[in-house]
């Protein structure tokens, strides 16, 4: 009988390997600074708080409203990372979103890269949903389970974005790769600079078991926590920033960032086998003819 390696043992191994993704010099190049240097509150400032030292930020949701923030700057390509601790306990119906978008609102022509954390009933696993939009068209959802409880400690969630691939990372483990196939009119957002956003809001019409589980407002307020925002990217300057037209000078636009490393491929394969619970590229009921990028 073939010996099987436990999922948790494998993930301890791949997490250690994934930490090697950046050299120390690359890590030093990322900028970390107080909230007000990078972000503005989008709405409900009274639902936003910071720790005494200003290094941890809290967004809260109650029956009245949620809250959100966005970067003051736009970027086109780079590495974007933040540590989050999600709503604990009974969080059914609650969505914590961490995403990049080319517009301040959900405009009809927006490009967007999404992390969405879908709340749960106590004792059930959190689900993480990722999505990609180009020119206002999405429908590229994937859903994963996580290999840890994201409500107990802070974990990093990161996006690597260049002209060759978009990679969604959790604690330096690549959970999703979205490649640019280079074809004309390809569904790959690479033209519009994006802000980075985060928000907490009620979505009990769809978020937990397809909307069957509703938000229990007696448990409010629901609070998500943030710290250690870092960005190493091309900051947009109208009409066109020099760093985009000068390729390969930044680590995130060099050859080794155009593909997963060998160790990252091992991590990614493990995630694909064990943690994916929905992939639009396999949903032939929804897409009788699969989108071109699925091939």
């Amino acid at each position: 009988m073939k010996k099987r390696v436990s999922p948790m043992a494998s993930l301890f191994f791949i997490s250690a390997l994934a930490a090697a993704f950046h050299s120390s010099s690359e890590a030093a190049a990322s900028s970390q600074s107080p909230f007000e240097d990078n972000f503005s509150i989008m709405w409900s400032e009274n639902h936003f708080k910071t720790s005494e030292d200003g290094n941890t930020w809290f967004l809260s949701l109650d029956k009245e409203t949620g809250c959100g923030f966005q970067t003051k700057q736009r970027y086109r390509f780079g590495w974007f990372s933040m540590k989050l601790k999600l709503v604990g306990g009974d969080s059914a119906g609650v969505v914590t979103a961490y995403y990049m978008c080319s517009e301040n609102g959900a405009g009809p022509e927006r490009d967007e890269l999404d992390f969405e954390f879908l709340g749960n009933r106590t004792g059930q696993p959190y689900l993480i949903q990722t999505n990609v939009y180009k020119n206002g068209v999405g429908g590229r959802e994937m859903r994963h389970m996580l290999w840890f409880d994201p409500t107990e400690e802070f974990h990093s969630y990161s996006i690597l974005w260049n002209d060759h691939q978009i990679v969604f990372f959790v604690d330096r483990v690549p959970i999703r790769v979205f490649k640019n196939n280079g074809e004309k009119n390809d569904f790959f957002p690479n033209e519009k600079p994006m802000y980075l956003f985060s928000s907490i809001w009620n979505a009990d019409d769809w978020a937990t078991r397809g909307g069957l589980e509703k938000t229990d407002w007696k448990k409010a307020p629901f609070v998500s926590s943030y710290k250690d925002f870092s960005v190493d990217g091309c900051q947009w300057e109208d009409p066109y920033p020099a760093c985009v037209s000068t390729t390969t000078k930044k680590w995130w636009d060099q050859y080794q960032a155009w593909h997963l490393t060998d160790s990252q491929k091992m991590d990614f394969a493990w995630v694909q086998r064990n943690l994916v619970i929905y992939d639009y590229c396999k949903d032939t009921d929804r897409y009788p003819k699969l989108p071109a990028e699925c091939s």
Side-chain angles (χ1 to χ4, degrees), residues 9 21 23 64 93 116 119 141 195 199 232 273 278 288:
F21 181 67
S23 68
E64 178 183 344
E116 291 180 317
E141 298 94 342
Y195 298 96
S199 59
D232 187 354
R273 290 193 305 270
Y278 177 79

Side-chain angles (χ1 to χ4, degrees), residues 33-42 69-75 104 194-197 229 231 235-236:
S33 52
F35 179 89
E36 60 273 11
D37 291 352
N38 288 301
F39 297 98
S40 300
I41 304 296
M42 292 190 295
F69 60 77
Q70 71 174 75
T71 54
K72 296 178 180 179
Q73 304 296 335
R74 293 178 295 164
Y75 302 90
N104 287 320
M194 300 194 203
Y195 298 96
L196 189 140
F197 299 81
F229 171 67
V231 55
Q235 186 172 309
W236 187 262

Side-chain angles (χ1 to χ4, degrees), residues 98-295:
Y98 167 58
Y99 61 104
M100 300 184 70
C101 186
S102 59
E103 300 181 23
N104 287 320
E109 298 296 323
R110 73 190 185 280
D111 288 358
E112 188 170 317
L113 310 174
D114 290 345
F115 276 110
E116 291 180 317
F117 306 93
L118 310 182
N120 63 340
R121 289 294 181 214
T122 302
Q124 298 298 314
Y126 245 95
L127 299 183
I128 181 170
Q129 175 170 286
T130 56
N131 202 355
V132 176
Y133 284 76
K134 182 172 182 178
N135 294 328
V137 178
R140 269 63 179 177
E141 298 94 342
M142 289 189 71
R143 288 188 180 185
H144 295 74
M145 295 184 293
L146 294 170
W147 57 94
F148 53 83
D149 184 345
T151 71
E152 291 184 348
E153 297 178 348
F154 283 91
H155 293 268
S156 63
Y157 304 89
S158 311
I159 295 173
L160 170 67
W161 176 33
N162 56 44
D163 199 33
H164 301 269
Q165 65 176 357
I166 297 162
V167 186
F168 295 82
F169 289 87
V170 177
D171 286 345
R172 304 300 178 100
V173 174
I175 66 163
R176 181 175 185 180
V177 179
F178 196 85
K179 300 289 287 187
N180 184 355
N181 65 22
E183 296 180 3
K184 188 176 181 180
N185 296 321
D186 175 41
F187 195 94
F188 188 88
N190 59 354
E191 299 171 351
K192 301 173 184 177
M194 300 194 203
Y195 298 96
L196 189 140
F197 299 81
S198 193
S199 59
I200 186 170
W201 46 289
N202 179 47
D204 66 3
D205 57 332
W206 65 270
T208 307
R209 295 185 60 220
L212 295 176
E213 302 283 356
K214 300 300 183 182
T215 304
D216 184 354
W217 294 111
K218 297 191 296 293
K219 302 292 196 306
F222 304 99
V223 179
S224 55
S225 309
Y226 306 79
K227 67 178 183 179
D228 295 350
F229 171 67
S230 64
V231 55
D232 187 354
C234 178
Q235 186 172 309
W236 187 262
E237 297 175 4
D238 290 324
Y240 203 76
C243 57
V244 168
S245 58
T246 305
T247 58
T248 72
K249 287 197 171 182
K250 302 290 186 178
W251 71 265
W252 38 262
D253 197 27
Q254 294 173 354
Y255 179 77
Q256 62 265 32
W258 299 355
H259 315 276
L260 297 184
T261 66
D262 288 344
S263 62
Q264 288 171 344
K265 289 176 183 177
M266 292 173 57
D267 300 350
F268 182 63
W270 192 96
V271 169
Q272 293 295 99
R273 290 193 305 270
N274 294 281
L275 300 180
V276 175
I277 61 171
Y278 177 79
D279 182 348
Y280 76 100
C281 281
K282 297 180 180 179
D283 191 345
T284 53
D285 290 334
R286 182 183 183 189
Y287 293 110
K289 181 180 178 180
L290 293 175
E293 71 273 8
C294 292
S295 61

Side-chain angles (χ1 to χ4, degrees), residues 22-48:
H22 294 301
S23 68
S24 58
S25 60
E26 290 165 351
S30 297
S31 62
Q32 294 187 6
S33 52
F35 179 89
E36 60 273 11
D37 291 352
N38 288 301
F39 297 98
S40 300
I41 304 296
M42 292 190 295
W43 82 93
S44 301
E45 191 166 350
N46 62 342
H47 284 59
F48 172 83

